[in-house]
């Protein structure tokens, strides 16, 4: 898997920074039920989204397994982050009104374990919000996508229907969806060719004949340094059955 400890320093700048974080946080907030008080942000990373959820008035806890990422999150939301295995959370059952997982499930071979843990720590009436179909969101029907169409692909671990099936097996009911646009993540041909050659696409090893063939075709496209359309990310929300708990302090 990608080394997030090593990537932590440049992670935000390479993935849309504050504008993308603001768009993601707004989309998550729009899917939360009225009266939501506590939220667990699993795989909170550098805390760039976590901070915005906290600023919205929620009592937020961030959890991540990568120390390098969490160190930055702790600076953004002091006293609100924990180092934890997101597939075995260190919280009792029914601890939170909501759980969010932004840009996580696509990374995991055992994504269902995250969904199961979210269901466990949610209170009745609580909502699990997660991004789905991340890889597909980057296909914006551009000339770059046309060149890359023949590449081999893995089955998406966060495919929307798969995530819905995981949720259903853990008694979570679909209750909504939302979308938000990326910021600064539209690909240019020159960037896409460089990503190919550095092994960004795991089924296309650097130096392999198909890798070089596709990279060469990308380098022949017009407007080499012009980014194509931004990706559109998708969120889905799933509710734990039962009446929401009363909030004595709200």
């Amino acid at each position: 898997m990608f080394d997030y400890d090593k990537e932590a320093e440049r992670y935000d700048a390479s993935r849309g920074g504050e504008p993308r974080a603001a768009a993601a946080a707004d989309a998550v907030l729009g899917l939360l039920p009225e009266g939501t008080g506590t939220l667990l942000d699993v795989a909170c990373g550098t805390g760039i989204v976590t901070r915005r959820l906290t600023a919205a008035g929620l009592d937020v806890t961030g959890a991540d397994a990568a120390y390098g990422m969490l160190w930055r999150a702790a600076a953004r939301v002091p006293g609100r982050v924990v180092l934890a295995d997101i597939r075995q959370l260190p919280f009792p059952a029914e601890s939170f009104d909501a759980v969010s997982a932004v840009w996580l499930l696509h990374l995991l071979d055992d994504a269902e374990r995250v969904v199961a843990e979210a269901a466990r720590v949610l209170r009745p009436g609580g909502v699990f919000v997660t991004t789905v179909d991340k890889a597909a969101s980057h296909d914006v029907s551009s000339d770059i996508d046309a060149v890359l169409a023949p590449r081999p692909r893995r089955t998406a671990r966060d495919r929307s229907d798969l995530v819905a099936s995981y949720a259903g097996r853990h008694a979570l009911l679909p209750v909504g969806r939302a979308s938000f646009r990326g910021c600064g993540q539209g690909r240019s041909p020159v960037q896409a060719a460089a990503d190919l050659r550095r092994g960004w696409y795991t089924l296309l090893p650097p130096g392999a004949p198909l890798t070089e063939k596709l990279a060469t075709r990308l380098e022949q496209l017009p407007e080499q340094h012009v980014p194509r359309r931004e990706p559109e990310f998708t969120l889905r929300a799933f509710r734990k059955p039962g009446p929401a708990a009363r909030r004595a302090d709200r």
Side-chain angles (χ1 to χ4, degrees):
M1 185 188 287
F2 197 72
D3 190 333
Y4 282 93
D5 282 316
K6 291 182 179 178
E7 187 70 7
E9 185 174 353
R10 65 181 295 272
Y11 184 83
D12 292 337
S14 66
R15 288 164 176 80
E18 293 289 353
R20 188 179 79 151
D26 286 347
V28 170
L29 291 167
L31 290 170
L32 300 181
E34 184 178 354
T36 298
T38 57
L39 179 142
L40 174 64
D41 188 20
V42 297
C44 67
T46 65
I48 194 169
V49 176
T50 318
R51 176 174 62 186
R52 291 180 177 275
L53 297 173
T54 302
L58 297 174
D59 181 1
V60 180
T61 300
D64 204 286
Y67 181 81
M69 302 287 271
L70 205 65
W71 183 80
R72 286 163 175 78
R76 283 183 163 133
V77 283
R80 291 181 174 270
V81 298
V82 296
L83 187 67
D85 181 346
I86 53 181
R87 295 160 297 190
Q88 192 172 357
L89 295 167
F91 304 106
E94 302 185 4
S95 296
F96 297 94
D97 299 328
V99 177
S100 60
V102 179
W103 302 304
L104 169 63
L105 300 186
H106 68 287
L107 300 170
L108 305 174
D109 289 326
D110 53 355
E112 185 169 356
R113 290 182 61 186
V114 175
V115 179
E117 277 294 88
R120 183 183 68 82
V121 302
L122 273 176
R123 294 178 179 136
V127 169
F128 171 52
V129 178
T130 181
T131 44
V132 296
D133 294 324
K134 183 175 186 293
S137 69
H138 287 275
D139 187 342
V140 297
S141 300
S142 71
D143 52 352
I144 294 173
D145 297 313
V147 169
L148 294 176
R151 78 182 189 273
R153 301 171 188 249
R154 297 184 188 277
T155 299
R157 299 140 168 163
D158 68 336
R159 205 175 67 208
S160 184
D161 62 327
L162 280 179
V163 175
S165 71
Y166 302 155
R169 284 200 285 271
H170 297 281
L172 297 178
L173 306 175
V175 291
R177 66 174 66 221
S179 64
F180 61 97
R181 193 168 293 282
C183 299
Q185 293 179 284
R187 294 177 297 182
S188 66
V190 69
Q191 176 193 2
D195 286 343
L196 269 175
R197 289 195 167 112
R198 70 187 178 98
W200 183 264
Y201 300 92
T202 56
L203 297 183
L204 289 170
L210 182 56
T211 302
E212 284 304 309
K213 178 181 177 180
L214 295 178
T216 299
R217 289 188 62 195
L218 288 169
E219 290 170 340
Q220 295 170 349
L221 293 177
E223 300 179 305
Q224 279 286 299
H225 294 275
V226 177
R228 279 28 175 190
R229 187 159 56 90
E230 298 279 7
E232 186 86 11
F233 298 108
T234 302
L235 285 166
R236 291 200 64 180
F238 302 90
R239 181 179 180 273
K240 187 170 186 174
R246 290 186 178 181
R247 320 285 195 264
D249 57 341
R250 294 182 70 84

